[in-house]
Amino acid sequence: MSTNHNANHDQQPLAREKERRSVLGENLLTIVTIIGVVGGTIFGLILKKSDQKWTQRDIMYIQYPGDLFLRMLKCLIVPLLVSSITSAIGALDLSLSKRIALRSIIYYFTTTICAVILGILLVTVFKPGKGYQTEVQNDAKVTRDVLTADTLLDLVRNLFPPNIIQATMFQYRTQLEPPENATARVGNGTEIKISDLSPDVRNHFTISKYNLTYFNSTEVVPLTEFKIKGEWREGMNVLGLVMFSVVLGATIGKMRERGKPIQDFLVSLSEAMMIITRWVIWLSPIGVFFLITAKILEMDSLADVIGKLGKYFITVMFGLFVHGFGTIAVIFYITVRKLPYGFVFKMSQVLATAFGTGSSSATMPITINCLDNMGIDPRVTRFVVPVGATINMDGTALYEAVAALFIAQLRNIQLTFGHIVAVSVTATAASIGAAGIPQAGLITMVMVLDTVGLPAEDVTIIIAVDWLLDRFRTTINVMCDALGTILVDHLSKGELSATNARLESGEPHELVELHHSKE
């Protein structure tokens, strides 16, 4: 009896040590990635305070390892997105696919509207633009001449790409060209033909540096009278790929046994991409370290920036925090009956990567891998995460609403209730159309400004802090996507179990089961 007691007593420290090692092993990558974020920030500040002057080439060399990591992640996006969404939809019967899609869209729409309303309330209460003096940076290249209607129509056009291969590399956008007889007056009073200007000067707001105004003889030429042309801009058309994948997946599910060969291929491709993702993930600590170090070296004095735009910066940050850990938490608790903070802790590595890369699309493979490890049904994960990374941009929507009203306050422009409603609708649409790449919200911001009649070049006012806010709002975007996936999985458990039961009862055409190979 005494011998057994002593043996058990001796085994307890060993068991605790084994448990500690197990916990450390499971969270090693997360810990190292967070160290990479913190270490990159500290290392960047140390280098910045040194006497050496850091040139653009020096910064490029420092950022090089991070760029390679980002390229690896982006390389996985197209095959992973198409195979994951298509196989996930194809693995479910059509009625269940519709329910999962409907729940996802309701969640995305609800959280985005909440984010916009929260942003408007905060900027109305705190009034960060009152008493603030600034100058527009006219030499900043931000946007092109375009109407809000053109941007919204392009959003719908990109949902239906004419060439699916082209959609992996290019997006369509409307290009407005001035009339041939339109001239411009530059700062010294000289009139020149707009057609003689280079496209770079015409299409960017560097044009305002020369006090350039469009007119025909003595009449101003409005943008509505410009020639409408289309152009293919480099960049993946994620909306088009998602739409194609959803339709293809639904078709495969409807074909049942005849669609099984395609479904098997897509499942295998999805699994292959996830294995590569697990390899690339181990480079994330190094990648985010060098990406953040380079960003710290690129920026001007952080103290000066925060001093100039402090109230605006604090308002956006407070809004992102309240939305991510307050609004979303309430929605999650009402639906799942659990607080989300435990899940958020398990996603630390995903959030650190999102902060380091500033891209929700590039973080998508890591998000899917993390949710798989948390036991979320892969059929839900592979549909909800890619769609969320494409259209669910809560942080961006909040930021654009705050920025538009902040700039209106700077200009002492009193906005009516109708204007505020217009900002809400446009910020929501703009966030959906924003690409999942660093600082994409800055481009769609112009559309929101145009809605309330603010000059597009005012976007340059907030450029100084945009890169930093972009990292935080991307982190919130990714967190909301992941929590939404967990929420949809919880709501769909009964139907997913019923589908599995039908499979076991001898109806294999109802479901093509996803097997996950472990390394």
Side-chain angles (χ1 to χ4, degrees):
M1 183 78 174
S2 177
T3 304
N4 290 337
H5 177 75
N6 291 335
N8 291 334
H9 183 73
D10 292 339
Q11 288 175 0
Q12 287 178 359
L14 293 174
R16 284 195 295 268
E17 180 65 23
K18 187 176 180 180
E19 184 179 349
R20 279 196 295 268
R21 289 181 180 178
S22 175
V23 172
L24 180 63
E26 291 174 359
N27 297 282
L28 178 62
L29 183 59
T30 299
I31 295 170
V32 176
T33 304
I34 294 174
I35 291 173
V37 174
V38 176
T41 304
I42 295 173
F43 187 56
L45 292 173
I46 292 173
L47 293 180
K48 194 171 182 65
K49 289 183 178 180
S50 64
D51 295 333
Q52 181 177 345
K53 182 179 179 182
W54 297 96
T55 65
Q56 185 180 6
R57 178 165 289 275
D58 293 332
I59 295 173
M60 183 269 289
Y61 289 143
I62 292 174
Q63 189 172 326
Y64 187 72
D67 282 339
L68 293 181
F69 168 66
L70 210 50
R71 283 170 172 263
M72 292 178 194
L73 285 178
K74 289 180 177 179
C75 180
L76 298 172
I77 293 174
V78 171
L80 181 60
L81 183 145
V82 174
S83 62
S84 295
I85 294 181
T86 308
S87 61
I89 296 294
L92 301 167
D93 58 73
L94 198 56
S95 61
L96 182 52
S97 298
K98 288 179 182 177
R99 292 192 194 100
I100 291 176
L102 182 61
R103 287 165 185 154
S104 303
I105 292 171
I106 291 174
Y107 170 80
Y108 296 150
F109 182 77
T110 303
T111 56
T112 302
I113 290 295
C114 288
V116 172
I117 293 174
L118 175 62
I120 290 173
L121 288 175
L122 290 177
V123 79
T124 302
V125 172
F126 294 131
K127 293 182 170 54
K130 290 295 183 182
Y132 176 85
Q133 300 295 325
T134 187
E135 293 182 0
V136 177
Q137 302 173 29
N138 291 326
D139 59 340
K141 295 181 179 180
V142 178
T143 187
R144 60 202 169 93
D145 290 327
V146 69
L147 296 174
T148 300
D150 295 327
T151 305
L152 294 174
L153 291 174
D154 286 344
L155 185 67
V156 179
R157 286 190 186 102
N158 282 316
L159 276 172
F160 307 99
N163 187 321
I164 194 62
I165 304 300
Q166 185 184 42
T168 64
M169 296 175 283
F170 297 98
Q171 294 183 30
Y172 178 87
R173 73 175 184 182
T174 298
Q175 180 71 29
L176 299 182
E177 293 285 343
E180 292 181 4
N181 59 347
T183 59
R185 178 177 295 144
V186 294
N188 59 6
T190 305
E191 293 184 9
I192 56 175
K193 276 191 175 183
I194 292 179
S195 57
D196 293 337
L197 298 174
S198 68
D200 183 63
V201 173
R202 284 204 312 269
N203 298 334
H204 292 87
F205 276 94
T206 47
I207 209 166
S208 61
K209 183 178 180 181
Y210 309 105
N211 299 321
L212 187 152
T213 55
Y214 296 116
F215 63 94
N216 181 0
S217 298
T218 58
E219 296 295 326
V220 173
V221 179
L223 287 177
T224 52
E225 295 183 15
F226 277 33
K227 295 179 181 178
I228 301 175
K229 293 184 178 180
E231 66 173 4
W232 291 98
R233 179 170 58 94
E234 186 176 349
M236 181 174 50
N237 179 9
V238 181
L239 284 174
L241 293 175
V242 168
M243 175 63 75
F244 175 81
S245 301
V246 169
V247 174
L248 180 59
T251 304
I252 291 172
K254 191 173 181 62
M255 291 173 67
R256 297 186 174 181
E257 286 299 321
R258 289 179 297 162
K260 193 173 185 301
I262 304 177
Q263 174 72 2
D264 290 342
F265 166 76
L266 291 169
V267 170
S268 298
L269 179 60
S270 177
E271 287 303 312
M273 291 302 103
M274 287 310 302
I275 291 173
I276 297 175
T277 297
R278 294 183 191 114
W279 295 342
V280 174
I281 283 174
W282 284 99
L283 299 175
S284 57
I286 300 172
V288 297
F289 177 89
F290 286 103
L291 285 171
I292 291 178
T293 299
K295 265 300 176 187
I296 295 291
L297 292 176
E298 279 182 358
M299 74 176 184
D300 297 326
S301 171
L302 184 60
D304 291 343
V305 168
I306 299 300
K308 292 176 182 177
L309 291 166
K311 289 182 71 176
Y312 165 74
F313 181 87
I314 292 171
T315 301
V316 176
M317 286 295 298
F318 182 69
L320 293 175
F321 181 84
V322 171
H323 180 70
F325 295 94
T327 308
I328 298 297
V330 170
I331 294 173
F332 190 89
Y333 180 78
I334 291 173
T335 309
V336 182
R337 295 299 176 185
K338 289 182 182 178
L339 288 173
Y341 306 120
F343 296 106
V344 173
F345 177 76
K346 293 178 181 178
M347 295 186 291
S348 300
Q349 200 250 334
V350 174
L351 302 182
T353 305
F355 183 85
T357 62
S359 171
S360 54
S361 294
T363 312
M364 183 182 70
I366 299 177
T367 307
I368 292 175
N369 182 72
C370 176
L371 291 171
D372 284 348
N373 293 337
M374 290 167 62
I376 305 303
D377 194 297
R379 292 164 291 180
V380 176
T381 301
R382 279 153 175 71
F383 173 74
V384 180
V385 172
V387 173
T390 306
I391 68 172
N392 187 37
M393 303 285 182
D394 293 356
T396 303
L398 184 146
Y399 145 82
E400 291 183 344
V402 171
L405 298 186
F406 167 72
I407 292 172
Q409 290 174 359
L410 289 183
R411 301 299 183 191
N412 290 318
I413 297 175
Q414 297 296 324
L415 298 181
T416 65
F417 179 75
H419 282 134
I420 293 176
V421 172
V423 167
S424 303
V425 174
T426 313
T428 302
S431 68
I432 294 173
I437 58 175
Q439 292 184 279
L442 199 61
I443 305 300
T444 55
M445 183 69 232
V446 176
M447 187 172 79
V448 183
L449 293 179
D450 182 66
T451 301
V452 290
L454 294 168
E457 57 265 33
D458 279 4
V459 159
T460 58
I461 295 171
I462 58 176
I463 280 181
V465 294
D466 184 75
W467 75 269
L468 184 57
L469 289 175
D470 180 59
R471 259 113 181 115
F472 285 105
R473 65 178 182 256
T474 299
T475 304
I476 293 298
N477 289 342
V478 171
M479 187 183 82
C480 292
D481 293 344
L483 291 177
T485 307
I486 297 170
L487 183 149
V488 172
D489 176 76
H490 174 80
L491 293 177
S492 306
K493 275 193 181 299
E495 293 146 330
L496 290 168
S497 299
T499 304
N500 292 337
R502 288 200 299 271
L503 172 68
E504 293 171 359
S505 66
E507 296 184 47
H509 62 270
E510 295 285 351
L511 171 69
V512 179
E513 190 172 15
L514 297 174
H515 297 283
H516 289 276
S517 56
K518 301 294 182 182
E519 288 184 295

